[in-house]
Amino acid sequence: MTRVVINGANGRMGQTLVACATRNPELELVGQVDIGDNLAEVVSKADAVVDFSSHEVTSDVAALCAEHGTALVIGTTGHSVAERDAVLHHRQTIPMVWASNFSTGVNALFWLTRKAAEILGADFDLEVVEMHHRMKKDAPSGTAKTLASILAEYRQEKSEDIVRHGREGLVGERTQQEIGVHSLRGGDVVGDHTVIFAGMGERVELSHKAASRETFANGALRAAQWAVAQSPGLYDMNDVLGLR
Ligand code: NAD
């Protein structure tokens, strides 16, 4: 039995995590924390904290977990480089699973994207398109950033050097190196991602569409169960799913 606390429990993901954790006989939900609650009061009762709250608080959550030797699963996205570094500092003390997307299907998309880039080579132009519900606060999505970084890595570049966020006006011809990333927002879309490989005379598109937040929640809870048995360090869903 793994004892978990959900941080950000009143949110869209938080509510789904609470429902999935309650149904899972291998988990005991020992805390539901949101704004106004004190995570410090429940963290010592837990084997793992699952955080889907806000990028601003992840480093404080990680520090608290490190103090109590509690594993941490991070689903929150939108961190600045400084925020990310502050969180990563704690990987020496506790096991952390950090994934921009916990769905098995999206992790298959990550793998397929890498493979397609290898097969198709430099002649294909690379574009990533994502769509999410109207309430999403950060853009592009963490998953789109991961997809862009997989493509950039294949081209032996840093994604911050070659990603182009949208186009407007007389932007000139597309360069061969750039990776276009485009964010659509509207309605109740849970999360769509498409990677486009556009060549001369043909085009390959790899798409994933999430219809339910349960796919992310169950992946994150599986990560929590896995994390409690690991040594301190930084892990992602490839580790949890045994894809390394
Ligand atoms: P949401 O706005 O519905 O929920 C966020 C919740 O966090 C809210 O209830 C808010 O009150 C709470 N919160 C904010 N600050 C807090 C604090 N200091 N302490 C405790 N709780 C706090 O958002 P959402 O759609 O549930 O998404 C949450 C995060 O998860 C976002 O960053 C989103 O991008 C990310 N997300 C990740 C995945 C994944 O698979 N990794 C999937 C979906 C969403």
Side-chain angles (χ1 to χ4, degrees):
M1 182 75 84
T2 307
R3 298 167 303 164
V4 293
V5 165
I6 310 296
N7 194 45
N10 295 344
R12 285 175 287 270
M13 275 305 300
Q15 287 292 291
T16 314
L17 282 154
V18 167
C20 291
T22 307
R23 281 202 299 269
N24 188 329
E26 291 168 12
L27 295 174
E28 186 186 352
L29 184 59
V30 293
Q32 301 180 37
V33 177
D34 207 283
I35 291 178
D37 304 319
N38 190 354
L39 179 60
E41 281 174 8
V42 286
V43 69
S44 62
K45 293 190 216 160
D47 303 308
V49 171
V50 179
D51 181 71
F52 280 73
S53 61
S54 168
H55 60 96
E56 292 147 358
V57 297
T58 315
S59 65
D60 290 346
V61 172
L64 210 50
C65 287
E67 209 178 293
H68 291 86
T70 309
L72 176 59
V73 173
I74 305 169
T76 309
T77 61
H79 301 87
S80 66
V81 173
E83 285 171 341
R84 189 175 164 80
D85 288 347
V87 177
L88 287 179
H89 171 72
H90 299 286
R91 71 178 144 179
Q92 285 141 4
T93 319
I94 49 167
M96 265 183 212
V97 183
W98 199 345
S100 59
N101 199 303
F102 282 95
S103 98
T104 309
V106 162
N107 283 277
L109 175 67
F110 291 156
W111 189 91
L112 291 166
T113 297
R114 204 169 287 121
K115 207 68 199 161
E118 281 169 26
I119 294 168
L120 298 171
D123 284 347
F124 282 72
D125 296 328
L126 307 174
E127 300 275 317
V128 177
V129 183
E130 56 105 339
M131 180 158 187
H132 283 82
H133 53 87
R134 64 168 71 142
M135 284 79 73
K136 184 164 176 63
K137 296 181 186 79
D138 55 318
S141 69
T143 305
K145 285 187 192 170
T146 304
L147 288 165
S149 69
I150 288 169
L151 295 169
E153 194 180 303
Y154 169 70
R155 294 213 162 155
Q156 298 182 324
E157 299 277 359
K158 284 187 180 157
S159 54
E160 58 264 37
D161 295 337
I162 58 171
V163 164
R164 183 160 194 171
H165 296 284
R167 297 184 182 88
E168 190 195 21
L170 284 169
V171 292
E173 289 183 11
R174 187 191 198 290
T175 63
Q176 194 197 15
Q177 272 308 82
E178 72 194 49
I179 300 171
V181 177
H182 313 277
S183 298
L184 317 183
R185 293 287 175 268
D188 60 355
V189 177
V190 172
D192 293 356
H193 293 88
T194 298
V195 184
I196 300 167
F197 300 81
M200 301 303 280
E202 60 178 340
R203 186 165 83 238
V204 177
E205 298 189 0
L206 299 176
S207 283
H208 176 273
K209 292 178 170 42
S212 160
R213 289 187 176 81
E214 290 200 4
T215 179
F216 310 128
N218 285 323
L221 293 170
R222 178 173 172 177
Q225 285 178 279
W226 180 88
V228 297
Q230 308 307 314
S231 315
L234 177 68
Y235 304 96
D236 64 21
M237 272 313 264
N238 284 320
D239 302 298
V240 177
L241 298 172
L243 296 176
R244 286 229 183 273

